[in-house]
Amino acid sequence: MSAAQPLEPLVRYAVDRGVATLTLDSPANRNALSSRLVAELEQGLLDAGKDPAVRAIVLTHTGGTFCAGADLSEATGGDPTANPRRLVTAMRSVVESPKPVVALVDGHVRAGGLGLLGACDIVLAGPKSTFAFTEVRLGLAPAVISLPLLPRLDSRGASRWYLTGSVFDSAEAQRIGLITEACAAPAEALTEILDAFRKASPQGLAETKRLVTVEVLRSFERDGESMVAQSALLFGSEEAREGMLSFLERRPPAWAAE
């Protein structure tokens, strides 16, 4: 009997010239936040954080979607707090990493994927990028992802896009503080930033990151448990079940008005 073949990683890890790159590589489900993908992401962050040769971390993706949010196929059974708590842990791992984390995006970002961007220190988005807080259309709310996002976002912009669930582009994402820079050539912008990191001391980067993430971490401390509870409550509701089922069946939900 032959041994079982190892699973292909959903998050690929590589180090080059002092930079660890974590590549979300689950295009079959648009890099949705499955339990395995999140576990591999956390492990990659841990490995990079402990490696003295790593000066910075890049979080990027394969395919046309950076991250589609929660894996809805895992959202219907078991402990209702497990999935939101897992995402909180992953986002906090990004924020608490002693190394600066740069997201390089050139594709679609939805729902929970926006929480990952909020946790990153710098976000570069290319011309193919689009963004949407789709929770409101599924009977949900952007609860746990608000932990890193609301301290960073323009409040009027948050209201506009949280409440409508509509799609917006990189220019608007930069205007409201969701991303750092809308780039025509994101790879070139990344090179400039990484070159700057290579000139900075590890201690200087780590301690400066502590300064700029104080309010974000305070949000996790203050509201983390209540946001997990709210998310679990919403995921278990009748409206959310209808919203997720309608999404999977590619039809309008029962509450959609003409």
Side-chain angles (χ1 to χ4, degrees):
M1 181 180 293
S2 61
Q5 292 297 313
L7 294 172
E8 286 293 316
L10 301 182
V11 179
R12 299 191 179 275
Y13 182 92
V15 178
D16 180 56
R17 296 182 60 216
V19 176
T21 299
L22 303 177
T23 304
L24 306 183
D25 189 20
S26 183
N29 67 351
R30 302 193 303 155
N31 292 322
L33 296 167
S34 66
S35 56
R36 186 157 75 90
L37 183 142
V38 170
E40 291 182 16
L41 174 60
E42 289 183 10
Q43 186 61 54
L45 290 165
L46 182 63
D47 292 343
K50 289 181 175 180
D51 187 345
V54 169
R55 191 64 52 86
I57 301 168
V58 173
L59 179 60
T60 189
H61 63 104
T62 60
T65 298
F66 170 75
C67 179
D71 186 343
L72 297 184
S73 68
E74 294 185 351
T76 57
D79 178 2
T81 68
N83 284 338
R85 196 178 302 282
R86 186 182 299 122
L87 179 54
V88 168
T89 301
M91 294 186 299
R92 188 162 184 163
S93 295
V94 174
V95 177
E96 292 187 325
S97 172
K99 314 296 172 71
V101 182
V102 182
L104 179 64
V105 178
D106 201 12
H108 309 304
V109 193
R110 300 291 184 265
L114 296 165
L116 290 181
L117 297 190
C120 291
D121 302 290
I122 295 173
V123 181
L124 307 175
K128 297 177 183 177
S129 300
T130 68
F131 310 86
F133 296 95
T134 52
E135 291 90 345
V136 71
R137 300 191 180 189
L138 296 174
L140 303 168
V144 296
I145 68 171
S146 288
L147 296 170
L149 283 170
L150 287 183
R152 301 187 188 275
L153 294 180
D154 167 76
S155 62
R156 287 296 187 186
S159 294
R160 167 69 173 86
W161 301 111
Y162 268 33
L163 289 169
T164 62
S166 300
V167 175
F168 54 100
D169 63 12
S170 296
E172 176 65 4
Q174 179 176 334
R175 188 191 72 79
I176 67 172
L178 175 63
I179 68 170
T180 309
E181 186 177 347
C183 310
E188 293 179 12
L190 177 65
T191 296
E192 182 178 344
I193 287 171
L194 296 182
D195 284 345
F197 286 153
R198 292 184 181 105
K199 296 174 184 176
S201 85
Q203 175 177 275
L205 288 173
E207 293 305 313
T208 302
K209 177 168 177 171
R210 288 181 191 273
L211 293 176
V212 297
T213 57
V214 165
E215 290 304 318
V216 176
L217 284 174
R218 190 170 289 149
S219 173
F220 278 86
E221 293 288 350
R222 183 187 64 235
D223 300 322
E225 283 303 311
S226 64
M227 291 297 98
V228 167
Q230 181 186 11
S231 182
L233 184 66
L234 290 171
F235 265 99
S237 68
E238 288 295 332
E239 282 195 23
R241 279 192 284 270
E242 166 61 12
M244 289 184 282
L245 187 61
S246 68
F247 175 81
L248 294 171
E249 294 178 348
R250 299 181 181 273
R251 60 170 175 81
W255 66 74
E258 290 295 332

